[in-house]
Amino acid sequence: MSQYDVAIIGSGPGGYVAAIRCAQLGMKTAIIEKYSTLGGTCLNVGCIPSKALLASSHHYEEATKHFEEHGIEIPGDIKVNLEKMIGRKQAVVDQTTGGIDFLMKKNNIDVFEGVGSFKDATHIKIEGKDAGDIEAKNIIIATGSKPSNLPFIKLDKERVITSTEALKLKEIPKHMIVIGGGVIGLELGQVYRRLGSEVTVIEYMDRILPTMDAALSKELNKVFKKAKFKMMMSHKVQSVERKGDEVIVKAENKKGEVVEFKGDYCLVSVGRKPYTDGLNAEAAGVKLTDRGQVEVNEHLQTNVSNIYAIGDVVKGAMLAHKAEEEGVFVAETIAGQKPHIDYNLIPGVVYTWPEVAAVGKTEEELKEAGAEYKVGQFPFRALGRARAGGDLDGFVKILADKKTDEVLGIHMIGARCADLIAEAVTAMEFRASAEDISRMSHAHPTYAEAIKEAALAATEYRALHV
């Protein structure tokens, strides 16, 4: 029987990063993955393929709606070849997952293909291609999550679908009904809206992106309405029924009236849930919570001292980069180091266009906590770079402590915000004040100037360009 210092069950961003860091620290490491490709949900049917389709559909929208104003004239019809677009997406996925194979080989990590389940606290049974048993001194559970569903919805994966199926449709929907106004529903809804689908978003809460700062929700809702999305807030879905090639969704609005929506596809995107099927955690004595998460302490250690858990399968935001941080954290903890993660400073990003990104506290959270704070906000429209590029929507909003000026939260919506948020994280990691950011030189012309201007606005209302 093969013996290891560390065995990791699951090869998503949390699992494979944990494996690499363990190997870097000199531990003999194994990783177990039930699918034939590494990378988990994120690389195979999540973050990476959705960004590929967002990029392709963005190019199409630019060509059909904005090229002409730049003096670029394309004769004849511009057509979408969906099969080719999906093919490119798959090529991106294949290249990315192949890169993980390379990293495993480079770091001398043994990869086992099959379902890993506990025999006891130090032994794992593998069923599948690489069937057998292995022994490990330490085990990291990184089994991730899968799409949630509503109890009365039957997912046929043909017309009533999850994000997985939405990434490989054979046709452009005439009318896609999206249940859930969160990150996944909005991103995939935008892909198909750009390609010509009518899109209706049905959300139970009173706004899209309900966990983000309300100002971001309001701005993105405005942009989506301008793009002719039908945005149905405060609607409680009651039933989803398929009749042939038609899907009928019934929902109750805030007046208590039942309204009906008809489309040819229904994307159910109501969040994700932890995945522990087949893990046999009880054989190792590992406790799960009522929500199906693996219970961990502040060291991401389960109630069994040599078993850890990371990523979507534990509490906290279900984000690939959060899982990566936790993977490194656990590897270094096992090695006897003292790593740290500040969960308040893990950014959230929505890859629609405009992009939405945030880190730290929302204004709603600060109000609820009774904190004294000040707000600085600056519109992208006032930036020369935004006008030059034609991306005018959005703003940067900085929340700072009223007395100390320490930045408490940074929220942004606009072009390239997915990248700009890293500056916000860096500033907050070093406990910058709004004035600190306002006194840092930002290259001109850039989108990043909006962060400096918002910081100036939060510092005695000193923004220069509004």
Side-chain angles (χ1 to χ4, degrees):
M1 186 188 299
S2 299
Q3 295 178 319
Y4 295 91
D5 295 314
V6 183
I8 296 139
I9 304 174
S11 74
Y16 85 73
V17 167
I20 292 169
R21 188 68 186 119
C22 286
Q24 286 177 342
L25 290 164
M27 293 177 244
K28 189 182 179 189
T29 306
I31 192 162
I32 303 157
E33 172 55 57
K34 72 173 184 176
Y35 293 113
S36 59
T37 55
L38 302 177
T41 293
C42 177
L43 273 65
N44 289 279
V45 291
C47 332
I48 301 303
S50 60
K51 300 315 153 282
L53 290 183
L54 279 160
S56 296
S57 62
H58 190 131
H59 287 316
Y60 175 70
E61 185 172 58
E62 287 292 299
T64 54
K65 293 185 178 174
H66 303 297
F67 273 12
E68 206 170 319
E69 66 195 62
H70 288 274
I72 303 167
E73 295 177 356
I74 302 172
D77 290 340
I78 300 168
K79 293 176 182 172
V80 174
N81 183 332
L82 187 62
E83 187 181 354
K84 201 169 184 180
M85 194 179 281
I86 299 285
R88 176 191 175 272
K89 177 262 312 180
Q90 193 55 46
V92 170
V93 168
D94 294 344
Q95 190 177 4
T96 310
T97 56
I100 308 303
D101 291 337
F102 164 76
L103 290 171
M104 296 301 104
K105 290 187 182 86
K106 178 191 169 193
N107 289 283
N108 298 311
I109 296 160
D110 289 346
V111 177
F112 293 90
E113 185 183 327
V115 175
S117 62
F118 285 102
K119 291 184 81 174
D120 57 40
T122 54
H123 293 85
I124 299 168
K125 179 183 181 182
I126 300 164
E127 291 180 282
K129 186 183 172 190
D130 298 324
D133 294 353
I134 63 170
E135 184 180 349
K137 291 177 197 168
N138 298 283
I139 297 169
I140 303 172
I141 300 167
T143 48
S145 63
K146 64 178 182 179
S148 294
N149 191 17
L150 297 174
F152 52 84
I153 297 178
K154 187 191 172 192
L155 295 166
D156 63 23
K157 301 190 177 182
E158 292 174 355
R159 295 281 169 181
V160 183
I161 60 175
T162 69
S163 55
T164 302
E165 295 77 47
L167 292 166
K168 54 183 181 185
L169 292 181
K170 299 278 194 290
E171 63 179 358
I172 297 167
K174 295 180 186 69
H175 180 195
M176 177 178 271
I177 300 166
V178 178
I179 298 175
V183 180
I184 297 166
L186 296 179
E187 288 181 0
L188 291 173
Q190 189 170 56
V191 166
Y192 288 106
R193 180 73 198 103
R194 287 167 173 165
L195 299 182
S197 303
E198 185 184 333
V199 177
T200 300
V201 177
I202 304 173
E203 169 56 46
Y204 175 73
M205 304 293 279
D206 61 355
R207 62 186 176 98
I208 55 172
L209 305 176
T211 60
M212 299 188 88
D213 193 278
L216 300 179
S217 304
K218 186 179 177 183
E219 180 75 4
L220 189 63
N221 195 65
K222 187 174 85 180
V223 172
F224 271 36
K225 279 187 168 177
K226 198 162 66 179
K228 295 189 166 51
F229 281 76
K230 288 179 181 166
M231 309 297 284
M232 316 304 293
M233 301 300 105
S234 303
H235 278 63
K236 183 182 179 181
V237 174
Q238 292 186 329
S239 67
V240 177
E241 185 187 1
R242 177 182 172 180
K243 287 185 178 176
D245 289 344
E246 187 177 62
V247 182
I248 301 159
V249 178
K250 289 182 180 173
E252 186 182 305
N253 65 20
K254 58 185 172 187
K255 294 177 186 169
E257 302 160 339
V258 176
V259 286
E260 191 175 271
F261 305 91
K262 290 181 180 179
D264 52 342
Y265 286 89
C266 176
L267 169 61
V268 181
S269 54
V270 291
R272 299 183 65 84
K273 60 183 178 183
Y275 184 76
T276 56
D277 293 9
L279 188 61
N280 199 23
E282 59 275 12
V286 171
K287 282 185 189 168
L288 303 182
T289 69
D290 295 342
R291 298 179 66 189
Q293 296 166 327
V294 178
E295 201 171 278
V296 289
N297 62 17
E298 68 274 18
H299 303 295
L300 297 169
Q301 192 175 33
T302 69
N303 60 301
V304 181
S305 62
N306 69 308
I307 301 175
Y308 299 80
I310 61 173
D312 288 6
V313 82
V314 300
K315 63 187 176 184
M318 289 186 172
L319 298 167
H321 46 284
K322 178 251 199 188
E324 289 183 5
E325 296 301 328
E326 290 180 335
V328 171
F329 179 96
V330 167
E332 292 178 352
T333 299
I334 291 169
Q337 298 182 9
K338 298 200 183 305
H340 85 282
I341 299 174
D342 185 343
Y343 284 98
N344 183 49
L345 298 185
I346 291 177
V349 178
V350 188
Y351 295 87
T352 51
W353 198 264
E355 292 175 334
V356 185
V359 64
K361 302 297 182 192
T362 65
E363 188 165 359
E364 292 70 38
E365 286 170 334
L366 292 178
K367 277 179 182 167
E368 199 177 319
E372 291 192 343
Y373 65 93
K374 50 188 182 164
V375 183
Q377 191 163 310
F378 188 83
F380 278 105
R381 187 172 290 276
L383 291 180
R385 183 65 189 276
R387 285 195 295 275
D391 288 305
L392 302 176
D393 292 317
F395 56 81
V396 175
K397 173 180 175 179
I398 293 181
L399 303 167
D401 187 281
K402 202 166 188 178
K403 292 193 181 85
T404 67
D405 197 37
E406 181 179 353
V407 175
L408 304 173
I410 301 185
H411 308 274
M412 51 182 79
I413 174 169
R416 308 185 191 183
C417 284
D419 301 302
L420 293 178
I421 198 65
E423 177 182 340
V425 176
T426 304
M428 289 182 68
E429 188 69 64
F430 287 92
R431 300 194 66 175
S433 66
E435 188 175 5
D436 288 334
I437 298 173
S438 76
R439 292 192 180 277
M440 288 162 50
S441 178
H442 286 63
H444 173 78
T446 57
Y447 291 98
E449 287 177 284
I451 298 175
K452 177 186 173 88
E453 291 277 6
L456 281 165
T459 310
E460 300 171 353
Y461 304 103
R462 284 167 42 202
L464 297 167
H465 290 91
V466 281

